[in-house]
Amino acid sequence: MANDYFQFKQFIVRQQHCGMKVGTDGTLLGAWAQAPDDPCRILDIGTGTGLIALMMAQRFPQATVTGVDIDDAAVSQAKENVMESPFSNRVTILKCDILQLEDTDGFDAIICNPPFFVNSLTCPDEQRTAARHTVSLSFENLAHAAFRLLKPDGIFSVVIPTENRPNLEAASRMEGFFISRICLIKTTPQKQPKRQLIEFRKFPVYEINIQEGIIEDSPNVKNPWYRQLTEAFYIK
């Protein structure tokens, strides 16, 4: 079936065994998140298909990328996607609870498209529930793990529904994070932002960089901002 895989310019993402398929959230984060220009180490928490890990490997050719997930099927799928990509020598996929990950060197950039349904009904599909609901990774645990694993001058980036930002922001602030950059995502110019891309650092910034991004100007007409952000990945 066509929806079993997604063809990008430089790699293919197969997804038939993953609870969460390729979507706009992950693509936005993978195209927007920053990392140091120098050779660096990048961590993708809850890697799923490996999409964001592969996007970061493409954008930062001097980086090594580690993707972690707790789901066996997702880990197997991500490994397959990495092995078929041009970046297999720089991307590693691990089956690991992020709270148990041991790393003494630290990461320069940490990326996460976290589970985002809080206090909502879970679905019968346990794999999809783990991928979508915070029962598998609370914002408090995510912030704690990211702060522990991030280098002092590192960057922690997430994509989150607008209504969940207060929960993530509070958890991150308790750990010692400060917001440095925000992008408010609108599906169309007339609608309110449904998603937010948020960047955290371990030190306060003089001024938070806030911008707005729009996906479509009208049905099937992509906004120039979105086209420019994702042009290195989408075939059309």
Side-chain angles (χ1 to χ4, degrees):
M1 295 178 63
N3 62 356
D4 283 347
Y5 68 92
F6 202 104
Q7 176 72 60
F8 291 90
K9 283 184 177 179
Q10 295 192 30
F11 55 86
I12 296 175
V13 174
R14 304 188 189 281
Q15 56 185 0
Q16 64 268 38
H17 302 306
C18 288
M20 286 301 295
K21 310 302 183 184
V22 170
T24 303
D25 285 4
T27 306
L28 280 168
L29 182 61
W32 181 85
Q34 291 299 311
D37 292 331
D38 294 331
C40 64
R41 303 180 71 227
I42 298 173
L43 175 65
D44 176 24
I45 298 176
T47 195
T49 61
L51 167 64
I52 298 174
L54 290 168
M55 292 180 73
M56 296 299 284
Q58 177 180 325
R59 290 180 57 210
F60 301 97
Q62 301 304 317
T64 57
V65 184
T66 300
V68 299
D69 207 295
I70 60 172
D71 181 72
D72 286 305
V75 168
S76 178
Q77 187 97 80
K79 286 183 176 180
E80 176 187 1
N81 290 332
V82 168
M83 289 304 298
E84 292 184 358
S85 78
F87 319 116
S88 59
N89 63 323
R90 295 189 290 111
V91 181
T92 302
I93 304 297
L94 302 175
K95 181 182 185 298
C96 179
D97 183 335
I98 192 60
L99 297 177
Q100 305 301 320
L101 180 63
E102 296 295 334
D103 187 279
T104 57
D105 295 329
F107 292 90
D108 300 280
I110 296 179
I111 319 297
C112 185
N113 178 8
F116 51 79
F117 286 126
V118 181
N119 298 326
S120 60
L121 294 175
T122 58
C123 65
D125 185 334
E126 291 183 2
Q127 185 189 34
R128 190 166 174 82
T129 292
R132 293 172 65 87
H133 291 75
T134 59
V135 294
S136 58
L137 180 64
S138 68
F139 293 137
E140 289 79 10
N141 285 344
L142 171 60
H144 179 73
F147 197 88
R148 176 176 64 86
L149 294 166
L150 191 68
K151 290 183 178 179
D153 58 349
I155 304 168
F156 172 42
S157 303
V158 300
V159 57
I160 199 82
T162 295
E163 64 269 22
N164 284 355
R165 174 177 160 182
N167 297 325
L168 176 62
E169 189 172 350
S172 300
R173 188 169 54 246
M174 286 292 293
E175 287 296 331
F177 276 120
F178 299 87
I179 291 178
S180 55
R181 195 164 61 111
I182 300 172
C183 186
L184 308 174
I185 304 298
K186 294 182 176 182
T187 53
T188 65
Q190 297 77 23
K191 293 185 177 179
Q192 293 299 309
K194 293 291 187 180
R195 294 286 190 269
Q196 296 191 19
L197 297 161
I198 307 178
E199 176 186 281
F200 296 92
R201 292 180 180 264
K202 288 187 171 183
F203 52 84
V205 297
Y206 177 74
E207 183 178 1
I208 298 174
N209 182 325
I210 301 177
Q211 65 174 165
E212 182 178 275
I214 298 171
I215 305 298
E216 291 186 334
D217 289 329
S218 59
N220 299 317
V221 178
K222 299 302 182 186
N223 179 269
W225 172 86
Y226 184 73
R227 288 203 309 269
Q228 182 179 5
L229 183 71
T230 59
E231 65 181 351
F233 302 100
Y234 286 140
I235 293 176
K236 295 183 180 179

